[in-house]
Amino acid sequence: MPSPHTERDTISLADFSATHRDLLWILSQTGPSERGPLHHALTDYYTDGIDHTRVCTTLEELVERDLVTKQTNDSQYRLTESGRRALAARQAWQAGTHNVSGGH
């Protein structure tokens, strides 16, 4: 029987770019999506736009880190459980509700 995941099992998004984090956020809000709509969502958000190749590269990096999975039969990207936990940990950190030892 697999052990439950702990906070230590969660991948930190601190070393990821804003594009990585934004793609995770979009997937968390929209659910499974193809590359085109993800690129469109980022283009709408970023004032300078974003190159399609950069979106593709970033998605592949997220797949390699097991934060996103790509369904080959329908070319849709989905958050993995690791991706959900990493995003939730990031949101907790942003909200100031994370557990920090040794703080003031």
Side-chain angles (χ1 to χ4, degrees):
M1 179 178 211
S3 63
H5 293 286
T6 65
E7 200 169 305
R8 284 186 194 261
D9 295 333
T10 302
I11 296 171
S12 171
L13 298 182
D15 294 329
F16 284 77
S17 72
T19 305
H20 289 94
R21 293 188 300 262
D22 291 343
L23 280 169
L24 290 174
W25 175 253
I26 292 166
L27 283 168
S28 77
Q29 298 302 300
T30 64
S33 186
E34 294 179 352
R35 228 179 310 174
L38 293 170
H39 176 249
H40 183 70
L42 287 177
T43 300
D44 286 349
Y45 179 66
Y46 293 168
T47 55
D48 292 337
I50 186 165
D51 183 73
H52 184 73
T53 303
R54 182 171 173 200
V55 173
C56 295
T57 302
T58 303
L59 282 167
E60 291 309 313
E61 290 168 355
L62 291 170
V63 169
E64 289 172 12
R65 297 292 300 266
D66 191 38
L67 297 171
V68 170
T69 185
K70 180 182 178 187
Q71 302 297 317
T72 54
N73 57 337
D74 59 7
S75 297
Q76 288 193 333
Y77 292 87
R78 292 175 171 81
L79 276 182
T80 63
E81 188 56 37
S82 295
R84 287 186 221 307
R85 284 193 312 270
L87 195 55
R90 172 81 178 178
Q91 289 169 320
W93 176 80
Q94 288 174 313
T97 58
H98 62 290
N99 184 7
V100 178
S101 58
H104 297 126

